[in-house]
Amino acid sequence: AFFASHPVHTDAVSSIVSRGEMLSALCFLLSLLAYARAARPLPEGGRIFTVIESFFWWLPLSVGLGFVGLLCKEQAATVVAIQAL
């Protein structure tokens, strides 16, 4: 009876636990990409719309993705430190 209730194969449990790590890593990387897009220099002769688009679209997206990654796993808090570099 003990053998029937004991989880010998923990593959299903392991995949559920690693899902949070993968989602956190995905949000971490997407947050870095969005921040890189927001922090890129303005091209010569660029329009003011690109500056507004950069700060009002890509930067909040980066912060939001970092927050979602933080909700998935605490290790995503390092995205703030990496973006500060």
Side-chain angles (χ1 to χ4, degrees):
F2 177 71
F3 183 75
S5 64
H6 189 271
V8 176
H9 299 288
T10 59
D11 296 339
V13 176
S14 297
S15 67
I16 291 172
V17 170
S18 66
R19 187 181 316 170
E21 293 175 2
M22 289 187 294
L23 189 58
S24 175
L26 177 69
C27 290
F28 183 92
L29 292 175
L30 288 176
S31 176
L32 283 179
L33 286 175
Y35 184 76
R37 179 76 186 256
R40 71 180 177 180
L42 185 65
E44 292 294 325
R47 300 176 304 176
I48 191 68
F49 180 72
T50 57
V51 174
I52 294 171
E53 175 190 355
S54 172
F55 285 112
F56 291 112
W57 171 248
W58 292 106
L59 197 59
L61 180 66
S62 173
V63 171
L65 285 168
F67 183 70
V68 170
L70 187 61
L71 289 176
C72 295
K73 192 147 178 94
E74 297 84 12
Q75 294 171 347
T78 58
V79 75
V80 176
I82 290 176
Q83 288 177 353
L85 293 176

